[in-house]
Amino acid sequence: MRLFLALVPPPALRRRFGELADTAHAHCSGRRVPDDNLHLTLAFLGEQPERQAEELADWLNGIRIAPGQWRLDRWGHFAGPGIVWIGGEPENPLVQLQQSLREKLEGLGIASQPRRFTPHITLLRRAEQPPGPSLPDFDEEWSYTRAALVLSEPTDQGSRYTPLAWSRM
Ligand code: ATP
Ligand code: MG
């Protein structure tokens, strides 16, 4: 089972990110991430046996993450894979959260990626243009309280995500 830990935006914010994805797509082309898939990856766990998934679900059900607020106000670009993303200040509490989850996973004997974390939400993949100055300004605040363990499965229409478990509120 292909698994990752993520923060999932509440529906209204997800729709707002979807609008930004549409805007970015109009400027940069590429493959737009569908609204249902918009998320922040905290830890990519890769292929794990079902047994391990159950243990991870139990573990996450029993922990609380430090709740926080993430201000998103800038466009970003990973040139290699042509990823266009939105994010905020590079130094923010998500970095600490990601690091602490990575350490906890290590304690469970599970390696996770990435090692160097840039908090971001991917909007486009294989974009043909980088995000340029013609893209509009935005300023959104996301109050998050829990993390999800998500199953990623390939389908004809791309990856389908299913949350398997949540951390405590
Ligand atoms: P697709 O691979 O079909 O384009 P996807 O990338 O959304 O879709 P997954 O590959 O299952 O689906 O990835 C799930 C999440 O984990 C995504 O946020 C993705 O960016 C992230 N991810 C995948 N592989 C890695 C990796 N090696 N290191 C860090 N993050 C990763
Ligand atoms: Mg992928």
Side-chain angles (χ1 to χ4, degrees), residues 5-16:
L5 295 182
L7 297 179
V8 178
L13 201 54
R14 195 175 241 184
R15 280 193 293 276
R16 173 71 185 122

Side-chain angles (χ1 to χ4, degrees), residues 19-163:
E19 289 170 10
L20 291 170
D22 285 337
T23 304
H25 188 253
H27 285 78
C28 311
S29 299
R31 191 154 60 88
R32 181 208 190 277
V33 174
D35 280 15
D36 282 350
N37 282 13
L38 292 166
H39 68 279
L40 169 91
T41 298
L42 288 166
F44 178 71
L45 311 176
E47 202 57 39
Q48 299 286 341
E50 197 172 326
R51 177 75 197 279
Q52 186 75 278
E54 281 165 24
E55 279 179 21
L56 279 162
D58 286 346
W59 165 73
L60 194 64
N61 282 147
I63 67 164
R64 231 180 279 273
I65 64 163
Q69 299 204 331
W70 186 27
R71 183 174 181 189
L72 294 108
D73 61 2
R74 63 199 67 181
W75 299 96
H77 186 223
F78 296 143
I83 286 175
V84 172
W85 50 265
I86 50 174
E89 282 281 343
E91 286 307 316
N92 69 57
L94 288 170
V95 176
Q96 181 60 44
L97 173 61
Q98 191 265 356
Q99 181 65 25
S100 83
L101 286 171
R102 233 176 87 78
E103 283 164 11
K104 289 191 178 113
L105 287 164
E106 222 165 86
L108 299 173
I110 297 170
S112 64
Q113 300 295 332
R115 287 174 170 282
R116 300 212 42 189
F117 177 60
T118 303
H120 70 280
I121 296 178
T122 296
L123 303 182
L124 307 177
R125 293 204 164 86
R126 291 196 228 109
E128 289 164 22
Q129 306 287 334
S134 56
L135 284 172
D137 291 341
F138 63 94
D139 197 339
E140 299 292 335
E141 188 132 276
W142 178 359
S143 298
Y144 55 85
T145 52
R146 55 189 194 154
L149 175 68
V150 185
L151 168 68
S152 172
E153 296 171 296
T155 75
D156 293 345
Q157 293 93 271
S159 292
R160 178 177 57 220
Y161 299 159
T162 311

